[in-house]
Amino acid sequence: MLTWKEVINFSVKGNPIPDQRVEKTEAEWKALLTPEQYRITRLKGTERPHSGALCSIHEAGKYNCICCETPLFDSTIKFESGTGWPSFTQPIKENAIKYERDTAFGMVRVEVMCNTCDAHLGHVFPDGPEPSGLRYCINSESMQLEKGVVNEN
Ligand SMILES: [Zn+2]
């Protein structure tokens, strides 16, 4: 299980190697995504709280990257944070997510990106529920829910 210390280490010392990489030009991403999906994932935007379609969904399934379809999170690690954004306590796999120090807006935060295609997903904070203590705060627009049974492991 990932902890805050490991997240910080990834953001400072380098990220785990992804299983594969997907790289496209800005024009290719633009053609593939809606304007809002493009703004959030490729231009590091944020959707308004409580506006996202996946915020209050708790159906079983996997949450895949909207850009490259790589599984990022699943319903077994989703929790209701009350923040207005879909929230998770862990990534689906350690190397699914990449972390970067983000100092925008005069704050020091840890940005969360898809490790396969570098899509901006949201941020991770150390105030999540036990046992990991992590809260991945993710934009709905950057994911699509693939409904189905998820193996608990
Ligand atoms: Zn991706």
Side-chain angles (χ1 to χ4, degrees):
M1 181 187 308
L2 272 181
T3 62
W4 182 241
K5 199 177 156 191
E6 288 164 308
V7 165
I8 294 292
N9 269 343
F10 284 141
S11 75
V12 173
K13 294 180 185 157
N15 284 287
I17 307 293
D19 292 347
Q20 55 160 348
R21 286 284 299 166
V22 171
E23 286 170 18
K24 293 184 194 294
T25 64
E26 289 308 301
E28 286 171 327
W29 287 126
K30 224 170 210 169
L32 196 72
L33 302 167
T34 68
E36 182 70 348
Q37 288 164 352
Y38 180 81
R39 182 182 76 83
I40 289 171
T41 59
R42 312 315 311 184
L43 305 177
K44 302 190 189 299
T46 301
E47 70 199 12
R48 284 180 299 106
H50 302 286
S51 69
L54 302 177
C55 186
S56 50
I57 299 238
H58 291 278
E59 273 179 84
K62 283 191 255 182
Y63 291 82
N64 300 341
C65 178
I66 198 73
C67 295
C68 72
E69 297 180 4
T70 300
L72 303 170
F73 302 99
D74 70 43
S75 51
T76 66
I77 44 182
K78 192 171 192 287
F79 74 102
E80 186 49 66
S81 65
T83 58
W85 289 282
S87 301
F88 303 87
T89 57
Q90 286 287 297
I92 198 164
K93 239 173 117 178
E94 187 168 295
N95 69 350
I97 302 285
K98 116 188 218 185
Y99 305 88
E100 229 160 74
R101 224 172 104 92
D102 174 8
T103 54
F105 307 109
M107 295 178 272
V108 179
R109 295 181 296 173
V110 177
E111 180 189 354
V112 173
M113 282 175 289
C114 171
N115 205 12
T116 304
C117 77
D118 298 341
H120 171 78
L121 305 173
H123 290 86
V124 58
F125 301 93
D127 59 7
E130 294 299 322
S132 75
L134 296 178
R135 171 171 63 93
Y136 288 78
C137 183
I138 306 298
N139 291 291
S140 285
E141 290 281 346
S142 58
M143 302 179 294
Q144 57 188 338
L145 174 60
E146 181 189 335
K147 289 179 192 170
V149 177
V150 180
N151 295 329
E152 301 251 7
N153 49 22

